[in-house]
């Protein structure tokens, strides 16, 4: 595990942090699961009860609200994990679910409770089930 300077954990003993890379000046709240082989950039905030499995790559300046769930296996339990990329400056609202193998573009916003089933273009707002682009 590599942890960047200035990164804070709220009650780390209540979280499950695997062999991952976490950048500088991040805030990780309690009850967060971050698996092995996850990479997280700088200035990222991850709120309580979020789940980040293997294969997720998170950029810089990303906000992940409480209870956000990333998935990594399209047909469990195949163990064929897909890579999910969260670009810089993304904000993901509470309770959103991100399906595996997607790319969330730079500056995108994902509304609370959204079920993201497709790639999200840069600087767009999506919400709903399934998530759709809102003009």
């Amino acid at each position: 595990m590599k942890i960047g300077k200035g990164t804070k954990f709220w009650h780390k003993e209540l979280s499950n942090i695997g062999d991952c890379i976490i950048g500088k000046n991040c805030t990780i709240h309690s009850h967060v699961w971050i698996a092995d082989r996850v990479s997280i950039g700088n200035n990222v905030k991850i709120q309580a009860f979020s789940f980040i499995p293997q294969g997720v790559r998170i950029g810089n300046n990303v906000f992940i609200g409480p209870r956000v769930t990333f998935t990594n296996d399209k047909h469990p339990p195949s163990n064929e994990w897909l890579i999910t990329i969260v670009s810089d400056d993304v904000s993901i609202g509470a309770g959103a679910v991100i399906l595996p193998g997607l790319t969330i573009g730079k500056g995108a916003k994902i509304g609370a409770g959204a079920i993201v089933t497709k790639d999200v273009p840069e600087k767009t707002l999506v919400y709903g089930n399934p998530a759709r682009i809102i003009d």
Side-chain angles (χ1 to χ4, degrees), residues 108-112 114 116 119-121 124-128 131-134:
K109 309 282 186 236
I110 297 173
V116 181
D119 290 346
V120 177
T124 56
L125 167 64
V126 300
Y127 63 82
R132 62 195 181 288
I133 297 173
I134 306 304

Side-chain angles (χ1 to χ4, degrees), residues 79-122:
N79 294 323
E80 292 179 23
W81 298 315
L82 300 174
I83 303 297
T84 298
I85 297 171
V86 179
S87 301
D88 295 345
D89 307 314
V90 167
S91 181
I92 303 174
V97 176
I98 314 299
L99 294 186
L102 302 180
T103 297
I104 300 171
K106 182 176 181 171
K109 309 282 186 236
I110 297 173
I115 309 298
V116 181
T117 61
K118 298 183 208 172
D119 290 346
V120 177
E122 289 187 1

Side-chain angles (χ1 to χ4, degrees), residues 3-18:
I3 308 293
K5 184 177 180 178
T7 290
K8 302 180 287 195
F9 291 87
W10 292 71
H11 305 289
K12 188 174 183 183
E13 68 278 1
L14 298 176
S15 294
N16 186 347
I17 310 298

Side-chain angles (χ1 to χ4, degrees), residues 23-73:
K24 299 178 196 171
N25 302 314
C26 295
T27 302
I28 313 294
H29 285 249
S30 61
H31 303 285
V32 170
W33 177 291
I34 302 173
D36 296 343
R37 294 182 275 172
V38 168
S39 66
I40 297 171
N42 300 320
N43 307 309
V44 173
K45 183 174 188 178
I46 302 173
Q47 293 198 323
F49 298 99
S50 291
F51 178 79
I52 305 172
Q54 292 180 7
V56 176
R57 296 179 184 153
I58 298 170
N60 298 312
N61 309 309
V62 172
F63 172 82
I64 297 174
R67 297 190 185 278
V68 169
T69 301
F70 289 86
T71 61
N72 64 356
D73 190 347

